[in-house]
Amino acid sequence: MAPAARPTLNDDFLWLLRRAAAPLKSAPWWVQVTLVYLAARVVSYAILLATAGHDGVTPWGSGPAGYLDFINRWDGEWYQRIYSGGYPHSIPRDGNGNAQTNAWAFYPLFPFLVRGLHAATTLDWVVLAPAVATLAGLAATLMIYVLFARFVPGATALWGAAFFATFPISPVLQIPYAESLSTFLLAAALYLLITSRYGWAIPVVILLCLSRPAGVPFAGVVAVHILLRWRRRRRTPFPPREAAGSLVLLLVSGAMALAWMFIAWAATGERSAYTDTETSWRGGTLVLFKPWFDAGVQLVGPLWGPLLPVLLAALAALALNSHAVRLIGTELRVWCALYLLYLLAVLDPQTSTFRMLLPLFPLALAAAAGSNSRAYRWTVVVMFTALQIVWVVWLWRWTPLPGGGDYPP
């Protein structure tokens, strides 16, 4: 009889790892999610800190930067301006009347929340803003787990939350941007909609639409939800009180989709203040869908370029109709479809587009539910973490282009 194989050092390490992780399996779900999120943020912190140590000459300074200074860049600088001085009373324009970049492109909830906390704590922006963003990211991850757990067992929901927490652009969850706060509000709004708590969803949607531009696709999701409930009313009752509440939510969502444009108009006296400001970054007027076709032409030429957006839309449609994505429920699928359509309509495709994909977090559940294999799931986490390095080094770190400037993250 062959002798039994001797345990290796690797076997001992795995045994110790399993023993150390065993108590976590019986811990409350919120403890598990919190630990996953904190571990992901520590890894992102290390990536950001290591990249900051190799910083050179930038518009924000010269030489290696500290962590807090390094993350307070790009749009974070705009949010800090709003925190310090609010919004301009008129749209700055050049000699030809073209709008110049200004704070009206950025929504007020995040910087004003930090300003309120500053009044209560006296902590400065450079400390308080990242803290608020990081805690909002934790709230978003917890809320996303709760949302996912309506469709899949807790273990799969936890993996979905882990995919979100380690997503390639997830370092933005601890950077003074509005993404973490808006993602929490979006996840909460979707959960309240799906559970038919329309009255509670109304204030959440109002805050959501003051954090990031999400009102148009969300109003579309509410409309589809109402139509589905009305269609199924004989099998699943749709009481008049709930029907009325859902219609109020639809009206509020539609109104808030346009609210920031009207606020900018009222504050500046210029009807096109918001749209002029948004398009000042692209150097032209807003023409729906056109920037994607222009980008296709720039990438592959005039013959095949116009087909690229069509191909992207076809691939997105196939993905959203896959078996794994069907597991996430109708409302979450509709949200992903309408949000992608919204990006295709209004976004000027550039390197910031990667960051704009964060609201598609329901697809993390589809990715987690697609396979129960631990090897697959850990591979996704490792791959996402490696891509964080790519995102931070490529886009967050300033690398001057030959023509000046740099690709924005």
Side-chain angles (χ1 to χ4, degrees):
M1 184 174 65
R6 297 181 60 185
T8 65
L9 183 61
N10 186 54
D11 292 332
D12 292 338
F13 174 76
L14 290 175
W15 180 81
L16 289 172
L17 189 61
R18 292 192 190 100
R19 287 292 301 269
L24 296 179
K25 293 183 179 180
S26 59
W29 67 267
W30 59 269
V31 172
Q32 296 178 5
V33 174
T34 298
L35 290 175
V36 166
Y37 175 80
L38 293 179
R41 297 288 62 79
V42 168
V43 172
S44 297
Y45 169 80
I47 294 170
L48 288 162
L49 185 63
T51 308
H54 293 85
D55 216 17
V57 178
T58 74
W60 300 278
S62 178
Y67 172 77
L68 292 177
D69 290 331
F70 185 66
I71 64 174
N72 193 41
R73 293 182 174 181
W74 300 101
D75 290 359
E77 188 177 27
W78 283 106
Y79 284 121
Q80 186 175 9
R81 294 183 189 181
I82 298 167
Y83 157 87
S84 300
Y87 292 88
H89 297 296
S90 61
I91 302 301
R93 298 182 182 273
D94 62 18
N96 296 321
N98 299 313
Q100 303 296 287
T101 56
N102 66 88
W104 280 108
F106 302 90
Y107 284 54
L109 184 62
F110 178 72
F112 284 0
L113 173 61
V114 178
R115 182 193 288 184
L117 292 172
H118 166 73
T121 64
T122 71
L123 292 173
D124 291 333
W125 168 272
V126 71
V127 173
L128 195 54
V132 171
T134 305
L135 290 174
L138 173 58
T141 310
L142 291 166
M143 191 69 244
I144 285 170
Y145 172 89
V146 172
L147 177 62
F148 287 179
R150 287 193 57 82
F151 301 97
V152 296
T156 302
L158 182 61
W159 276 104
F163 287 178
F164 167 75
T166 58
F167 193 64
I169 55 91
S170 63
V172 79
L173 298 174
Q174 63 201 77
I175 286 170
Y177 275 37
E179 265 73 4
S180 54
L181 181 59
S182 65
T183 303
F184 162 66
L185 293 168
L186 173 60
L190 288 169
Y191 176 80
L192 293 169
L193 174 68
I194 291 170
T195 56
S196 302
R197 302 176 189 180
Y198 307 119
W200 286 102
I202 289 172
V204 175
V205 170
I206 291 173
L207 293 175
L208 169 64
C209 294
L210 292 175
S211 65
R212 293 279 303 164
V216 171
F218 190 84
V221 175
V222 176
V224 171
H225 172 85
I226 293 172
L227 289 174
L228 290 175
R229 287 215 62 184
W230 179 257
R231 183 180 178 182
R232 301 166 182 166
R233 66 189 184 280
R234 292 182 179 177
R235 288 175 294 167
T236 305
F238 193 20
R241 183 175 179 179
E242 289 189 6
S246 66
L247 290 173
V248 172
L249 177 59
L250 177 61
L251 291 174
V252 170
S253 301
M256 289 306 302
L258 304 174
W260 189 239
M261 288 188 287
F262 283 101
I263 291 171
W265 179 6
T268 63
E270 301 182 47
R271 183 174 59 182
S272 59
Y274 175 70
T275 53
D276 286 354
T277 297
E278 280 286 0
T279 55
S280 65
W281 266 269
R282 67 183 70 174
T285 58
L286 176 62
V287 180
L288 298 181
F289 301 104
K290 184 176 181 293
W292 288 87
F293 291 94
D294 292 341
V297 171
Q298 292 175 4
L299 287 173
V300 297
L303 181 61
W304 299 105
L307 294 179
L308 276 185
V310 179
L311 177 61
L312 286 174
L315 291 175
L318 288 174
L320 291 173
N321 282 286
S322 65
H323 173 71
V325 177
R326 288 177 185 173
L327 297 175
I328 70 177
T330 302
E331 284 85 356
L332 296 186
R333 288 175 65 208
V334 170
W335 161 258
C336 291
L338 292 181
Y339 182 71
L340 283 171
L341 181 62
Y342 176 74
L343 291 183
L344 189 64
V346 304
L347 186 66
D348 183 15
Q350 53 175 306
T351 47
S352 295
T353 303
F354 298 113
R355 178 167 50 85
M356 304 297 176
L357 300 179
L358 192 63
L360 295 174
F361 67 83
L363 297 180
L365 175 59
S371 172
N372 292 326
S373 166
R374 288 187 179 181
Y376 157 76
R377 289 170 169 176
W378 276 111
T379 299
V380 171
V381 169
V382 172
M383 178 187 67
F384 279 178
T385 303
L387 289 174
Q388 285 185 43
I389 301 174
V390 175
W391 186 77
V392 171
V393 174
W394 175 35
L395 294 178
W396 195 263
R397 182 170 180 258
W398 179 267
T399 305
L401 298 173
D406 189 15
Y407 292 121

